[in-house]
Amino acid sequence: MERKDEIIRMQNEIMQGLIKQRMQLIGEDLWGRPVEEKEAEKEEKAAPQLPVAAAEGKMEEKMEAAPEEPKAEEKTETIEELKAELHGYIGLDAIKEEVDSLINWIEICKLRKEHDLPTPDLSLHMVFSGNPGTGKTMIARLMARIYKCLGVLSKGHLVEVDRSGLVAGYVGQTAIKTAEVIEKAKGGVLFIDEAYALTNRDGEDFGQEAVDTILKAMEDNRDDLVVIVAGYIELMQEFIHSNPGLESRFNRFLHFPDYSLEEMKKIFLMRCENSGYTLEETAMEALEEIILRESKDIKGFGNARGIRNLFEKAIAAQADRLAESEEEITRETLMRLTAEDLKNGCPAEENKE
């Protein structure tokens, strides 16, 4: 057990180091090193070295006299950077086209307004439909940032809820609970997952009270609140058509298709790369077999969510394998995932005990 704990600790150290290095490189590639940091480094190299006692005294004086440090300014994203991020995602080709088209439309409307030309009312509320793990929350979060970059929203954050976050158990409480969520979402996007659960219950239910509160907030805060509702395609169609108010406010529908086998393989390999693992070439066939087998029930497997679970099970199986092995644990062995790790992490039904 001690050996397994040590292996896991070493794995974590490698992953943390790689992630830190990758994030630093990405930041420097995008924005460069801050000028202040470069100047401070120059001054540090040029400054005469003080004896330890003198240096400690200087440090104490500096700490006593130093004013409170100002907060770092938030980096302003450009629409080009956000579009590059969008097109860097695996798959989602139809979604990328829809978002590109929406960005173009908003920018043209802004230009028409600047030239005193009439512009249509911007209805930016959206319906996302698709199976679990197809990227709906990821794109909703990106849309919030895009809307902020284009001046549509003031903050560009995402507040994610489902039925339980909006509906209470007693008369009058649902409106209060929903209003509190809306207040947090102002300036950003309110993302309601499995939104159909608000209206598809029989008998006395307070889901409709939440819907009515949301519709009123969408009207009252049309200049600084966007609502995105999400869920399975058939149920979302029923949800939107269940209320004339919903039909009139949601006219943008984005369907998120299931990932293909090749796309799910790419997602797995990307997870390996980002986490400091390499997949043996001989393990690729095992990966394909497992994805094909498990994704027969695509809703249960969960697309990218299923790939994440498969990856986590594989690295747990690798830790068990290395803990029981007598071979020397090196950086290479810690990073290598084998077909055995994949199969042990996600065994076929007939091989499960």
Side-chain angles (χ1 to χ4, degrees), residues 259 261 264 268 286-311 313 342-352:
Y259 286 104
L261 169 63
M264 286 192 277
F268 187 93
L287 176 62
E288 291 182 3
E289 289 176 358
I290 292 171
I291 293 175
L292 284 173
R293 182 185 73 227
E294 296 297 318
S295 63
K296 287 179 180 178
D297 174 18
I298 195 66
K299 290 184 180 180
F301 182 66
N303 287 281
R305 193 176 302 169
I307 294 299
R308 180 190 66 200
N309 292 337
L310 172 59
F311 173 74
K313 290 176 182 177
L342 292 172
K343 293 176 180 178
N344 289 339
C346 194
E349 195 66 34
E350 60 268 20
N351 296 328
K352 294 179 182 178

Side-chain angles (χ1 to χ4, degrees), residues 38-49:
K38 295 178 181 178
E39 293 300 324
E41 187 175 311
K42 290 180 183 178
E43 290 176 6
E44 183 178 345
K45 289 180 179 178
Q49 298 298 314

Side-chain angles (χ1 to χ4, degrees), residues 4 30 54 56 58 123 157 174 230 273 312 343:
K4 181 176 179 180
L30 289 175
E56 289 178 350
K58 289 286 185 181
S123 179
H157 63 296
T174 291
E273 181 181 356
E312 291 174 354
K343 293 176 180 178

Side-chain angles (χ1 to χ4, degrees), residues 127-132 134 136 193-196 229-241 253-258 299:
V127 179
F128 287 1
S129 62
N131 287 326
T134 47
K136 297 186 292 295
D193 197 16
E194 298 182 348
Y196 49 78
V229 292
Y232 295 113
I233 184 168
E234 300 88 356
L235 294 174
M236 289 307 299
Q237 288 175 346
E238 293 177 9
F239 170 69
I240 295 300
H241 297 314
F253 295 80
L254 274 68
H255 177 64
F256 289 69
D258 294 322
K299 290 184 180 180

Side-chain angles (χ1 to χ4, degrees), residues 77 140-149 153-158 185-189 224:
E77 297 178 299
R141 189 172 292 113
L142 179 64
M143 290 308 306
R145 293 159 56 201
I146 287 173
Y147 284 153
K148 179 177 186 284
C149 181
L153 296 173
S154 60
K155 297 179 182 178
H157 63 296
L158 183 86
K186 284 182 181 178
V189 169
D224 206 18

